[in-house]
């Protein structure tokens, strides 16, 4: 298994130099936070990821989870690592100070989240869903529910889950059948079955708070008739402590391709007692608070797995000697040269590196707008929300597509050894594959982008996002590269505007290619911006490597956008011309 070390130098460059963290915090009125504190948090997070979480990754994959007598046991060491995580306050980073949270800016927390995903994706999943549950309860639950549950969710004493999917209802939640019967005391009895529930049960926490979508007896049909309920594993006693077991049980644990150390459960609710979160029949809107946060977090899973794979591939390429480099002998004292000097291996490593660092910049740019959406003026919050809505499906889909591509390249760099389990590279590829599926498949993300966020929005989110990226371009100092970046950004906006008139069928056919076109374009702008900042850095390695990596991205990765543009511009005719009976020749 490759030994993961957090890319702290890149985080520090991006936050302090590129994003200008100190000025960002001053503008938001949180001058008590600064880049020095962010650097310390990153350093401590890197140490926790290296020393505590990463060593459990391969062993967790080998051992998996177990269901016995209705209770789930996670791999050896996982629960202990979680207790250390909670004791050190990591779970409380983003929680409200009103409920004993730390209220850290997202720009400080997101780097730690990437590290945890890179160190051990299976382990990170439980804490990720708890953070999303905290957000939903904070924004939508009653004061009574907040007072009972929020502080312990924020601290991590209790964990949270998201219960949407049913055997017959995945993307189309209008089909869900789970029922909620109102009771005289204001509670509800929840009955139904949910599948694919991450950490539906585990041996980490004394209680689990399930957020469950269900229908009231008189609910309207479709998604307009869905409500959200808080359903604890254990009901609370008079001291607000876990008491009587609720009617919630684990039917089974899914046997999966990857993330084997994360318990993915089938959950049964049999007249389980729950409480309404938000308004009746408005549950989907409440749940989207949780889902949109989770979608960005899933994007970080793709980024984390990609970084871990890149580090393993780079270390191996530097150590493995094989043949002579075509450009000349690189290791005169040996019989062969390290494969890092082979042009095709360098191509694979740079394909990983350029996309990973571009995605990391995108994630921190996104985090900056999360800070603004939380702490800015009302006008700034409205603008930031539009940017975040537009970027969310891009972060989720592009970063996870990239995660699969780059972990596959990591296997390829190792050659035959990459296919062998003991090296750990194939696990990264297996683990990250799910990220393209859950929290809405990447095809659904693409439909969301071109449908809700572009064509149906009429261009408001598009223009807000253009403005956000244009500010990066305007801040550049190299006029030649500034002009290239401006041309790239302007072409993207003009091409996107051309899509506004698409009918629903054409847009659906174009969706995945449009998302990819957008992602490669915007990350190209980020690369021009990063390299411009890096050129002024006192760190000569960052100054030169960022510019060289930008050049590789522009020369070898950015041309993909042109192919995607041609594809999405082709229309829906060839996609829909074939009849259902013509997909095979039976």
């Amino acid at each position: 298994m490759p030994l993961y070390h957090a890319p702290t130098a890149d985080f520090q460059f991006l936050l302090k130099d590129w994003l200008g963290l100190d000025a960002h915090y001053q503008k938001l009125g949180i001058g008590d936070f600064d880049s020095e504190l962010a650097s310390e948090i990153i350093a401590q997070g890197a140490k926790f990821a290296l020393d505590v979480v990463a060593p459990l990754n391969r062993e967790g994959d080998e051992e998996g989870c177990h269901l016995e007598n209705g209770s789930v046991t996670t791999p050896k060491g996982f629960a202990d690592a979680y207790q250390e995580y909670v004791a050190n306050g990591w779970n409380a980073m983003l929680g409200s100070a009103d409920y004993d949270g730390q209220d850290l800016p997202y720009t400080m927390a997101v780097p730690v989240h990437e590290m945890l995903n890179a160190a051990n994706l299976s382990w990170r999943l439980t804490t990720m869903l708890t953070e999303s549950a905290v957000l939903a309860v904070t924004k939508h639950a009653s004061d009574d529910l907040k007072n009972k549950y929020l502080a312990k969710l924020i601290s991590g004493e209790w964990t949270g889950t998201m219960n949407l999917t049913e055997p017959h209802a995945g993307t189309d939640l209008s089909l869900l059948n789970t029922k909620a019967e109102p009771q005289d005391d204001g509670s509800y009895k929840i009955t139904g079955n949910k599948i694919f529930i991450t950490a539906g049960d585990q041996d980490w926490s004394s209680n689990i708070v399930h957020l469950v979508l269900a229908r009231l007896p008189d609910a309207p049909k479709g998604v307009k008739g869905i409500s959200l309920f808080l359903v604890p594993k254990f009901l609370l006693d008079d001291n607000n402590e876990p008491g009587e077991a609720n009617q919630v049980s684990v039917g089974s644990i899914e046997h999966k391709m990857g993330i084997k150390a994360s318990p993915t459960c089938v959950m049964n609710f049999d007249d389980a007692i729950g409480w309404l979160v938000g308004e009746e029949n408005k549950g989907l809107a409440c749940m989207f608070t949780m889902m949109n946060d989770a979608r960005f977090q899933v994007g970080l899973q793709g980024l984390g797995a990609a970084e871990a794979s890149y580090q393993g591939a780079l270390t191996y390429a530097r150590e493995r000697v094989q043949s002579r480099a075509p450009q000349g002998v690189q290791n005169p004292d040996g019989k062969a040269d390290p494969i890092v000097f082979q042009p095709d291996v360098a191509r694979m490593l740079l394909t990983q590196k350029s996309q990973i660092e571009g995605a990391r910049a995108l994630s921190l740019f996104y985090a900056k707008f999360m800070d603004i959406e939380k702490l800015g003026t009302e006008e700034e919050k409205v603008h930031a929300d539009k940017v975040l809505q537009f970027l969310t499906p891009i972060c989720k889909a592009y970063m996870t597509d990239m995660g699969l591509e780059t972990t596959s390249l990591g296997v390829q760099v190792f050659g035959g050894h990459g296919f062998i389990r003991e090296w750990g590279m194939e696990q990264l590829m297996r683990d990250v594959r799910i990220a393209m599926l859950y929290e809405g498949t990447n095809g659904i993300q693409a439909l969301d982008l071109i449908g809700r966020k572009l064509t149906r929005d009429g261009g408001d989110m598009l223009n807000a996002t253009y403005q956000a990226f244009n500010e990066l371009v305007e801040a550049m100092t190299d006029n030649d590269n500034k002009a290239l970046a401006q041309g790239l950004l302007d072409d993207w906006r003009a091409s996107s505007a051309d899509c506004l008139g698409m009918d629903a069928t054409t847009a659906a056919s174009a969706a995945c290619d449009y998302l990819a076109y957008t992602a490669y374009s915007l990350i190209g702008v980020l690369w021009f911006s990063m390299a411009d900042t890096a050129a002024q850095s006192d760190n000569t390695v960052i100054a030169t490597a960022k510019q060289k990596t930008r050049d590789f991205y522009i020369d070898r990765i950015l041309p993909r956008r042109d192919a995607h543009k041609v594809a999405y511009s082709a229309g829906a005719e060839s996609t829909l011309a074939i009849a259902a009976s013509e997909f095979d020749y039976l």
Side-chain angles (χ1 to χ4, degrees):
M1 172 63 67
L3 187 61
Y4 169 74
H5 291 273
T8 54
D10 198 29
F11 281 126
Q12 290 164 357
F13 161 75
L14 290 171
L15 290 172
K16 182 179 180 180
D17 299 336
W18 180 60
L19 282 183
L21 210 59
D22 292 323
H24 171 60
Y25 291 159
Q26 289 288 340
K27 185 177 180 181
L28 292 176
I30 50 172
D32 290 343
F33 296 108
D34 57 24
S35 57
E36 184 176 346
L37 177 60
S39 181
E40 178 61 25
I41 290 172
I42 288 169
Q44 292 302 316
K47 187 175 188 302
F48 184 82
L50 173 64
D51 295 343
V52 180
V53 182
L56 302 173
N57 195 27
R58 185 183 173 202
E59 288 75 8
D61 181 62
E62 295 287 340
E63 181 182 346
C65 298
H66 307 281
L67 175 62
E68 295 182 8
N69 301 318
S71 297
V72 172
T73 302
T74 56
K76 182 180 178 181
F78 272 50
D80 290 339
Y82 179 71
Q83 295 307 318
E84 186 171 347
Y85 181 80
V86 169
N88 290 337
W90 293 112
N91 204 79
M93 283 191 294
L94 293 172
S96 169
D98 293 338
Y99 296 90
D100 302 326
Q102 297 174 22
D103 257 335
L104 290 185
Y106 286 94
T107 38
M108 287 189 180
V110 165
V112 178
H113 294 162
E114 181 196 321
M115 296 174 198
L116 295 174
N117 284 315
N120 192 328
L121 200 158
S122 287
W123 186 90
R124 165 61 182 158
L125 276 167
T126 299
T127 62
M128 184 204 89
L129 266 299
T130 300
E131 290 163 8
S132 297
V134 164
L135 191 61
V137 172
T138 299
K139 288 195 172 185
H140 302 293
S142 65
D143 288 341
D144 180 58
L145 288 178
K146 290 178 185 178
N147 291 334
K148 289 179 178 178
Y149 291 94
L150 198 49
K152 292 185 178 181
L153 281 169
I154 287 172
S155 71
E157 183 177 343
W158 299 343
T159 57
T161 72
M162 182 193 305
N163 290 250
L164 288 79
T165 306
E166 299 178 6
H168 58 283
T171 298
D172 188 358
L173 291 172
S174 66
L175 301 175
L176 70 80
N177 290 330
T178 299
K179 300 183 183 303
E181 294 285 345
Q183 305 299 300
D184 293 339
D185 63 357
S187 67
Y188 297 78
K189 286 190 175 181
I190 312 300
T191 301
N193 305 104
K194 299 290 185 176
I195 62 172
F196 303 158
I197 308 306
T198 298
D201 194 60
Q202 32 74 10
D203 53 353
W204 295 15
S205 60
S206 61
N207 207 355
I208 301 172
V209 179
H210 301 289
L211 293 181
V212 184
L213 289 181
R215 290 187 184 281
L216 293 167
D218 57 350
K221 293 181 179 180
V223 295
K224 294 182 179 180
I226 297 174
S227 299
L228 180 64
F229 299 88
L230 185 155
V231 185
K233 178 180 178 180
F234 294 101
L235 302 173
L236 303 185
D237 62 20
D238 293 338
N239 296 316
N240 208 42
E241 295 295 333
E244 178 186 353
N246 206 351
Q247 295 300 306
V248 181
S249 61
V250 182
S252 62
I253 298 177
E254 304 288 1
H255 300 281
K256 311 184 295 288
M257 174 182 179
I259 57 167
K260 294 177 181 291
S262 173
T264 307
C265 301
V266 174
M267 301 300 298
N268 301 321
F269 298 87
D270 301 298
D271 283 342
I273 297 175
W275 289 267
L276 183 69
V277 176
E279 299 179 32
E280 292 184 357
N281 304 322
K282 298 292 180 64
L284 196 57
C286 298
M287 184 61 87
F288 264 108
T289 296
M290 191 174 185
M291 288 176 64
N292 283 330
D293 178 71
R295 284 171 173 174
F296 173 65
Q297 295 289 343
V298 168
L300 292 180
Q301 292 176 20
L303 175 55
E307 174 65 28
S309 180
Y310 170 65
Q311 290 189 16
L314 179 60
T315 299
Y316 184 81
R318 284 170 168 165
E319 295 175 352
R320 173 73 167 176
V321 293
Q322 192 83 16
S323 306
R324 289 297 186 188
Q327 64 269 36
V329 174
Q330 304 294 316
N331 180 28
D333 296 330
K335 295 182 179 179
D337 295 324
I339 63 172
V340 71
F341 295 110
Q342 291 291 333
D344 190 55
V345 174
R347 174 192 62 82
M348 290 189 284
L349 292 171
L350 282 166
T351 298
Q352 291 181 302
K353 176 180 171 64
S354 64
Q355 294 196 83
I356 289 166
E357 293 183 16
R360 180 172 298 123
L362 178 61
S363 74
L364 296 178
F365 190 66
Y366 186 99
K368 178 179 179 180
F369 279 89
M370 291 173 81
D371 289 347
I372 297 170
E373 197 272 337
K374 180 180 180 181
L375 299 167
T377 65
E378 287 306 311
E379 183 179 354
E380 290 170 339
K381 287 180 178 181
V382 170
H383 173 70
D385 181 65
K386 291 178 181 179
V387 175
L388 292 171
Q389 286 196 58
F390 196 89
L391 292 181
T392 295
I394 298 169
C395 287
K396 195 279 185 182
Y398 170 75
M399 289 186 190
T400 56
D401 282 347
M402 180 274 296
L404 182 64
E405 178 188 359
T406 53
T407 55
S408 178
L409 288 173
V411 170
Q412 192 73 15
V413 169
F414 273 70
H417 293 292
F419 204 66
I420 305 301
R421 292 188 67 163
E422 67 185 87
W423 291 92
M425 301 301 285
E426 57 84 34
Q427 181 192 337
L428 295 170
M429 188 175 176
R430 284 188 291 107
D431 283 352
V432 81
R433 186 60 183 84
I434 183 60
M436 301 166 71
L437 301 174
Y438 54 20
E439 303 305 337
T441 66
N442 287 0
I444 294 298
Q445 304 306 313
L447 288 170
D448 179 52
L449 177 65
I450 203 169
R452 291 188 183 93
K453 309 302 171 58
L454 183 64
T455 56
R456 271 178 266 172
D457 179 67
D460 283 351
M461 294 181 194
L462 168 68
N463 291 331
T465 305
Y466 173 87
Q467 180 183 337
F469 278 79
N470 197 55
E471 289 175 2
L472 293 176
V473 176
E474 290 179 347
M476 291 176 60
T477 58
D478 183 295
N479 288 330
D480 291 339
N481 286 318
K482 183 176 182 178
L484 292 172
Q486 190 70 62
L488 181 58
L489 185 61
D490 288 346
D491 177 80
W492 165 73
R493 182 173 67 169
S495 298
S496 297
D498 289 342
C499 297
L500 290 175
M502 284 183 175
D503 61 77
T505 301
T506 303
S509 174
C512 285
D513 284 298
Y514 173 75
L515 188 146
Y517 163 79
T518 296
Y520 288 124
S521 297
L522 295 182
I523 288 178
V525 175
L526 295 180
W527 262 117
F528 277 117
S529 176
M530 281 191 291
D532 186 80
T533 301
Q536 305 163 53
S537 175
D538 294 333
N539 186 322
T540 56
V541 175
I542 285 180
T544 57
K546 283 290 183 186
Q547 292 177 83
K548 290 178 180 178
T549 307
R550 173 206 58 198
D551 292 345
F552 179 88
Y553 182 89
I554 299 304
D555 289 347
R556 304 296 292 268
I557 304 298
L558 187 60
R560 297 179 182 185
R561 70 187 274 274
D562 300 322
H564 286 294
K565 183 176 180 179
V566 170
Y568 83 67
S569 301
E573 288 77 10
S574 60
T575 303
L576 300 178
I578 191 166
S581 61
E582 296 171 333
F583 276 98
D584 54 29
Y585 300 101
L586 298 178

